[in-house]
Amino acid sequence: MVKKKTIRQKVREKSAKVQEKKTQEENETKNVEAEREIKLSVRRKLAKQERFLAKLRETQTALAKAKKPKRRNTRTTLQDLSSLGEFLPDVPNQQRVCTKKSNMRQKHRQQLIIRETKQLAAVLSHPQFQQDPYAAVHQHLVNTVPEYDHKKAK
């Protein structure tokens, strides 16, 4: 069974509602007064910040909506490139190219960095390199890289 409210209960509820409305109105008036007290420069900064946040939200929603491009099947296109090998010259495999990802340990990597740093310092301090860097690099390549013979390749 549902009990009916007494007159006192009804009056208390009405007075509580009236009190809540008064506190809300007071809070609103306090907010209006606080906004008046805020300086113009602070208002500009806040407005600028709000514009930035709005732009940021827009870009985030746009990026979320954007779909990731689908991966194309590369195997079918690579099959068509097999005829390309006829036109390319044969190049002897002088050096083996390592396509596997290097699993170098930290200690070995540090030793390599130290060794390469010393080598770079030696190159930079060399008098021929200081006089003409391009000529020094060219001479080094001529001395170290073997010349490729195009006649033998054909």
Side-chain angles (χ1 to χ4, degrees):
M1 220 194 304
V2 179
K3 293 184 179 179
K4 291 186 178 180
K5 293 183 180 179
T6 63
I7 296 175
R8 285 184 184 172
Q9 290 174 338
K10 292 178 183 179
V11 170
R12 285 181 189 160
E13 287 178 359
K14 286 184 181 180
S15 64
K17 288 179 183 179
V18 170
Q19 185 65 26
E20 286 178 16
K21 287 182 182 180
K22 286 182 182 179
T23 55
Q24 286 178 352
E25 290 175 0
E26 289 175 2
N27 288 338
E28 290 176 5
T29 56
K30 287 180 183 178
N31 289 339
V32 170
E33 290 174 3
E35 287 180 6
R36 289 180 189 161
E37 291 176 2
I38 294 177
K39 292 182 182 177
L40 181 62
S41 61
V42 175
R43 284 190 214 160
R44 288 180 186 162
K45 287 180 184 178
L46 290 175
K48 186 176 180 181
Q49 186 179 18
E50 286 298 321
R51 287 192 304 261
F52 173 74
L53 291 174
K55 286 181 185 179
L56 188 65
R57 282 187 220 108
E58 288 175 9
T59 55
Q60 286 177 344
T61 54
L63 289 175
K65 290 179 182 178
K67 293 181 181 177
K68 292 181 181 179
K70 294 182 180 179
R71 297 176 92 189
R72 296 185 331 186
N73 191 0
T74 56
R75 293 181 182 175
T76 57
T77 56
L78 292 177
Q79 291 173 356
D80 299 335
L81 297 177
S82 60
S83 61
L84 186 63
E86 299 172 6
F87 301 106
L88 296 174
D90 292 331
V91 179
N93 291 335
Q94 294 175 355
Q95 293 180 352
R96 183 177 171 186
V97 178
C98 182
T99 58
K100 186 178 178 182
K101 187 178 178 182
S102 175
N103 292 330
M104 203 181 296
R105 291 190 177 155
Q106 184 69 22
K107 186 176 181 180
H108 182 65
R109 189 179 296 126
Q110 289 294 327
Q111 290 173 351
L112 179 66
I113 290 171
I114 292 169
R115 189 171 55 237
E116 291 296 322
T117 306
K118 288 179 182 177
Q119 180 69 25
L120 179 64
V123 168
L124 293 175
S125 65
H126 198 276
Q128 287 183 348
F129 184 81
Q130 289 177 352
Q131 287 177 355
D132 190 8
Y134 293 110
V137 170
H138 180 266
Q139 186 62 36
H140 171 72
L141 290 174
V142 167
N143 292 339
T144 57
V145 178
E147 189 173 327
Y148 179 70
D149 191 12
H150 295 286
K151 295 177 183 177
K152 289 182 181 179
K154 292 181 181 180

